[in-house]
Amino acid sequence: MLTLCLAALLVTAMLLSLGWGAASDTDVIGALLSADGVSVRDSTIVWDIRLPRVLTGVLVGAALAVSGAIMQGLFRNPLADPGLVGVSAGAGFGAVVAIVLGGSAPLWFQAMTGYYLVPLAAFFGGWITTLLLYSVATRNGRTSVATMLLAGIALAALTGALTGILVYYATDDELRDLTFWGLGSVAGANWQKFWSAAPLIIICLFAAPFLARSLNALALGEAAAGHLGIPVQRMKRIAILTVACSVGAAVAVTGGIGFVGIVVPHLLRLVQGPDHKGLLINSALLGGVMLLLADAISRTVIAPAEMPIGIITAIIGGPFFLWILMRNRSLVDL
């Protein structure tokens, strides 16, 4: 029932977002259905400007929310989030490397990767960061959330410093690209950017529900999960790969958007409980709704200008994170 409600809410949010903009008189339904009498202007606004933006927001919100739910299940702690523990920073560093140094790569490599270079680089950056984080935070088969958070801060600082070095080598055009994703926004979304990240994110979203049973078993402890027949180490590798892939692709397209991965899964746990079978699917739906809502706010707060979505999610997610931290102090005791 909750899944159907969230799906209906997502469809409603998408239709409202398609109708929201400077051209408020746009015939959205007619343009989507390619009805007779729809002007070229309305068709262009809906299909070439608003629709890729809305679909990008839905996919990125779903990717971040599902990644947060997976990380929280993997670390067995509600404080885990790709943005807070440095995964997004690692993915962002990978994107910076591709943006600044991609033009210096051999021509055959540029031709082979094409527009997928930035998403792939962000994916490998997030993947390496996630592996480092897990290796540092895990000892004797147990993962310390305090170590995880501190290691995430250190990795984020390191990747931030390396990013700063590359910024000095960037051209004016590259600096504009860096500014776009650094603050987090879907304003520059188009079909080319959407399709550069959509395959990676969609594959991860379809793969995530298959981790539900393993994540439920892992909540009992790694030893208990092993006794239940769960291949724990293989499941960890698949979970890490899924998070790195989805977060890397999302960061490459929209930049650093934080707190979606911690707010959405926690809200759903309060409503439906900790069962990952419904949590992962519902996180994808609510994550898309949350990012569309943040996008709507970003377009109205300082209209006609737009505020970066990363600022909106931080304003909402920061106090929420502090509330979760206050409720779970025992989980971060050193």
Side-chain angles (χ1 to χ4, degrees), residues 1 14 25 37 63 84 94 135-136 144 152 194 219 279 288 293 324 329:
M1 185 64 181
M14 292 175 65
D25 59 339
L84 293 174
S135 300
V136 172
S144 168
F194 171 79
L279 180 64
L293 176 62
I324 297 175
R329 292 182 185 181

Side-chain angles (χ1 to χ4, degrees), residues 24-100:
S24 57
D25 59 339
T26 304
D27 184 4
V28 175
I29 303 299
L32 288 176
L33 299 177
S34 299
D36 295 334
V38 176
S39 65
V40 175
R41 164 187 169 274
D42 288 356
S43 181
T44 301
I45 289 174
V46 172
W47 283 100
D48 297 336
I49 299 176
R50 294 182 183 174
L51 188 58
R53 177 172 184 156
V54 169
L55 293 179
T56 299
V58 170
L59 276 186
V60 170
L64 295 176
V66 171
S67 296
I70 291 175
M71 288 198 71
Q72 289 164 21
L74 184 63
F75 288 107
R76 301 192 294 281
N77 194 282
L79 301 178
D81 170 72
L84 293 174
V85 298
V87 177
S88 295
F93 174 67
V96 172
V97 172
I99 292 172
V100 177

Side-chain angles (χ1 to χ4, degrees), residues 271-291:
V271 176
Q272 69 169 58
D275 186 1
H276 286 85
K277 290 181 179 179
L279 180 64
L280 294 173
I281 296 175
N282 292 336
S283 291
L285 297 173
L286 186 56
V289 172
M290 181 177 178
L291 207 66

Side-chain angles (χ1 to χ4, degrees), residues 11 67 99 218 253:
V11 172
S67 296
I99 292 172
L218 195 62
V253 175

Side-chain angles (χ1 to χ4, degrees), residues 256-276:
I257 299 177
F259 292 103
V260 176
I262 193 170
V263 171
V264 171
H266 198 82
L267 285 177
L268 289 172
R269 286 191 183 93
L270 294 177
V271 176
Q272 69 169 58
D275 186 1
H276 286 85

Side-chain angles (χ1 to χ4, degrees), residues 6-288:
L6 290 175
L9 182 62
L10 178 60
V11 172
T12 303
M14 292 175 65
L15 292 175
L16 291 176
S17 295
L18 286 173
W20 188 273
S24 57
D25 59 339
T26 304
D27 184 4
V28 175
I29 303 299
L32 288 176
L33 299 177
S34 299
D36 295 334
V38 176
S39 65
V40 175
R41 164 187 169 274
D42 288 356
S43 181
T44 301
I45 289 174
V46 172
W47 283 100
D48 297 336
I49 299 176
R50 294 182 183 174
L51 188 58
R53 177 172 184 156
V54 169
L55 293 179
T56 299
V58 170
L59 276 186
V60 170
L64 295 176
V66 171
S67 296
I70 291 175
M71 288 198 71
Q72 289 164 21
L74 184 63
F75 288 107
R76 301 192 294 281
N77 194 282
L79 301 178
D81 170 72
L84 293 174
V85 298
V87 177
S88 295
F93 174 67
V96 172
V97 172
I99 292 172
V100 177
L101 303 180
S104 302
L107 293 179
W108 63 267
F109 181 76
Q110 296 183 44
M112 182 178 67
T113 55
Y115 201 81
Y116 289 88
L117 176 60
V118 174
L120 287 173
F123 157 62
F124 282 110
W127 184 35
I128 293 171
T129 303
T130 307
L131 289 175
L132 287 174
L133 172 68
Y134 187 79
S135 300
V136 172
T138 303
R139 184 178 181 183
N140 296 327
R142 300 187 64 182
T143 302
S144 168
V145 66
T147 304
M148 175 190 69
L149 293 174
L150 294 174
I153 293 172
L155 289 174
L158 177 61
T159 54
L162 295 175
T163 299
I165 294 174
L166 290 174
V167 166
Y168 280 98
Y169 292 93
T171 63
D172 289 342
D173 290 339
E174 291 168 350
L175 284 174
R176 280 194 291 270
D177 290 337
L178 296 178
T179 301
F180 161 71
W181 65 257
L183 295 176
S185 174
V186 294
N190 54 41
W191 286 118
Q192 188 180 31
K193 292 181 178 179
F194 171 79
W195 286 115
S196 70
L200 291 173
I201 295 177
I202 291 173
I203 290 173
C204 292
L205 292 179
F206 274 102
F210 292 99
L211 295 171
R213 178 174 175 271
S214 299
L215 291 173
N216 285 341
L218 195 62
L220 303 175
E222 294 186 9
H227 290 312
L228 291 173
I230 303 298
V232 177
Q233 295 304 318
R234 186 177 68 180
M235 185 274 293
K236 288 180 181 179
R237 288 192 292 267
I238 294 174
I240 290 172
L241 184 65
T242 301
V243 170
C245 184
S246 56
V247 172
V251 169
V253 175
T254 62
I257 299 177
F259 292 103
V260 176
I262 193 170
V263 171
V264 171
H266 198 82
L267 285 177
L268 289 172
R269 286 191 183 93
L270 294 177
V271 176
Q272 69 169 58
D275 186 1
H276 286 85
K277 290 181 179 179
L279 180 64
L280 294 173
I281 296 175
N282 292 336
S283 291
L285 297 173
L286 186 56

